[in-house]
Amino acid sequence: MKNTALSSTHEALGAKMIPFAGFNMPVQYEGVTIEHETVRNAVGVFDVSHMGEFLIEGSGALDLIQNVSSNDASKLTIGKAQYSCLPNDSGGIVDDLIIYRIKENTYLLVVNASNIEKDWKWIQSKNHVGASMRDISNDYSLLAIQGPKAVEAMQSLTSHDLSAIKFYNFIVGDFAGIEHVIISATGYTGSGGFEIYCKNSEVKQIWDRVFEVGVHYGIKPIGLAARDTLRLEMGYCLYGNDIDDTTSPIEAGLGWITKFDKDFTNSEALKAEKENGPKRKLVGFELDERGIPRQGYNIVDSSGLVIGKVTSGTMSPTLGKGIGLGYVTIPFSSIDSKINIQIRKNTVPATVVKLPFYKK
């Protein structure tokens, strides 16, 4: 089990630690609902240093990225980031990721912790252009400072105007007395804020300063459980739940990051799927009665016929009702469709809704 550079800090704060993607990670501190509401209303800090980081450099860097990723990375200028996915050869997804253009021929790829080795081997197998690849995952830490008060609370720690960093943009600058950190606005919570990428040796200083200046804003450390409820309220996909090696970006509602004006891995098959229409679709739903949907529960029609499966589900702290994501057959995929979730022996009615669940 790997530790992040802050694992002992989390333990000292009384965090409940669990194994997650091969790392010893804080799942919660005070409780999921309190932590969730802290991020929605004030500011909270996640240690997400388990995420993977690859540097792709050289004259062939863009060609390699264009080949392995579904989005059009040629649109990236220095200081911009892009959400994308790595399609496999059989219609599914190797991983979803964020691509940062750091310099003219230098890109940072941020991948999911559980997929670091898999993604590295996959990209390496497609590197026929001689691009330089470096896995820097073990050397870097990542903090996500999230919430509506994040910018105001953290502004004193940097000479840069944090409010000027637009969504999916980033800068390389000073923060909390450390030079050359990446400050990006690519949050996973829907409540604003930003992320800090720094060296492992620097993260404790940054963590301490962040909590020092944030104390007047109600800052709290936040665990992975609240991260999951926050992202689910936004309808954001989680790899391993809502997308995986068997789900296509088209059926997962990720057509917007799948650009067919370029060639990429399995692009012809995915283009045909988009033109012909997928057989199933990922939808968001709200329960009409009390209950909590969980991953793996069957979705059934009014006669009890299985029409799909829940991929993510929770009791929404903000809405006070059960919400979830799941794949259903096309006839049940339109907004306001009536479906049922099989929760153990009970069949609970639900309605397909427009995402996100949480609307500011």
Side-chain angles (χ1 to χ4, degrees):
M1 194 63 57
K2 291 182 182 176
N3 286 314
T4 74
L6 291 171
S7 288
S8 59
T9 301
H10 302 311
E11 288 166 357
L13 288 167
K16 180 183 178 184
M17 307 292 285
I18 62 163
F20 183 83
F23 286 80
N24 188 29
M25 297 295 291
V27 67
Q28 67 179 55
Y29 299 83
E30 291 181 75
V32 179
T33 302
I34 292 171
E35 293 169 34
H36 182 107
E37 290 173 349
T38 295
V39 174
R40 283 282 179 253
N41 301 312
V43 57
V45 185
F46 304 84
D47 176 14
V48 281
S49 303
H50 60 315
M51 299 291 281
E53 293 89 15
F54 304 154
L55 272 180
I56 311 291
E57 300 178 282
S59 57
L62 180 59
D63 286 341
L64 173 58
I65 290 166
Q66 287 288 71
N67 180 26
V68 298
S69 66
S70 63
N71 211 334
D72 186 0
S74 71
K75 297 285 199 298
L76 285 173
T77 53
I78 295 167
K80 290 197 177 294
Q82 183 183 77
Y83 180 56
S84 191
C85 75
L86 305 173
N88 63 23
D89 290 321
S90 56
I93 299 171
V94 177
D95 202 3
D96 62 339
L97 74 165
I98 299 177
I99 302 167
Y100 295 80
R101 190 171 188 180
I102 308 291
K103 297 177 186 172
E104 189 64 30
N105 291 319
T106 301
Y107 296 81
L108 176 70
L109 276 52
V110 180
V111 302
N112 284 297
S114 56
N115 291 335
I116 292 172
E117 188 178 347
K118 179 178 82 163
D119 292 356
W120 177 262
K121 287 178 178 175
W122 176 258
I123 297 168
Q124 204 172 39
S125 75
K126 302 288 185 180
N127 186 11
H128 309 305
V129 290
S132 166
M133 293 177 58
R134 277 196 292 154
D135 180 358
I136 59 172
S137 306
N138 290 333
D139 304 320
Y140 278 78
S141 292
L142 173 56
L143 299 181
I145 305 169
Q146 297 283 291
K149 296 182 181 177
V151 168
E152 185 185 355
M154 297 298 120
Q155 185 55 66
S156 65
L157 293 181
T158 179
S159 60
H160 299 274
D161 181 2
L162 294 176
S163 65
I165 306 174
K166 303 303 181 193
F167 200 40
Y168 271 78
N169 284 250
F170 69 94
I171 60 166
V172 180
D174 63 284
F175 190 82
I178 306 290
E179 297 292 331
H180 308 299
V181 302
I182 293 175
I183 308 171
S184 75
T186 56
Y188 195 50
T189 66
S191 283
F194 46 91
E195 299 74 49
I196 302 292
Y197 294 83
C198 63
K199 292 176 182 172
N200 290 341
S201 58
E202 300 166 338
V203 72
K204 183 63 165 66
Q205 177 179 322
I206 292 176
W207 176 276
D208 290 345
R209 292 286 288 126
V210 162
F211 278 89
E212 204 176 294
V213 301
V215 68
H216 302 301
Y217 297 87
I219 198 167
K220 291 177 185 285
I222 313 295
L224 292 178
R227 185 171 173 82
D228 193 50
T229 56
L230 288 157
R231 71 91 193 169
L232 186 47
E233 285 188 348
M234 292 304 297
Y236 293 152
C237 288
L238 176 65
Y239 194 90
N241 283 45
D242 315 300
I243 50 176
D244 58 32
D245 289 295
T246 69
T247 61
S248 87
I250 305 305
E251 63 189 14
L254 298 177
W256 62 280
I257 62 162
T258 310
K259 303 297 170 61
F260 295 111
D261 49 4
K262 63 159 199 170
D263 288 327
F264 59 87
T265 303
N266 206 38
S267 56
E268 285 303 313
L270 292 175
K271 186 177 183 181
E273 183 184 10
K274 185 171 186 177
E275 288 169 353
N276 298 326
K279 293 185 173 65
R280 61 176 187 167
K281 192 176 172 187
L282 186 67
V283 299
F285 61 84
E286 294 180 358
L287 296 191
D288 299 334
E289 297 175 5
R290 286 194 65 79
I292 304 176
R294 298 294 186 197
Q295 183 187 23
Y297 286 1
N298 282 335
I299 303 174
V300 300
D301 66 11
S302 56
S303 63
L305 186 71
V306 175
I307 55 167
K309 262 200 168 43
V310 176
T311 55
S312 290
T314 194
M315 173 61 72
S316 164
T318 306
L319 278 62
K321 63 171 75 170
I323 62 170
L325 298 174
Y327 285 94
V328 295
T329 52
I330 294 302
F332 295 91
S333 65
S334 54
I335 305 302
D336 294 329
S337 292
K338 295 298 179 181
I339 58 175
N340 299 276
I341 313 301
Q342 195 71 50
I343 302 180
R344 291 177 290 278
K345 293 179 180 177
N346 299 321
T347 303
V348 181
T351 303
V352 174
V353 298
K354 186 175 170 27
L355 295 172
F357 299 103
Y358 170 72
K359 298 171 178 69
K360 295 177 189 177

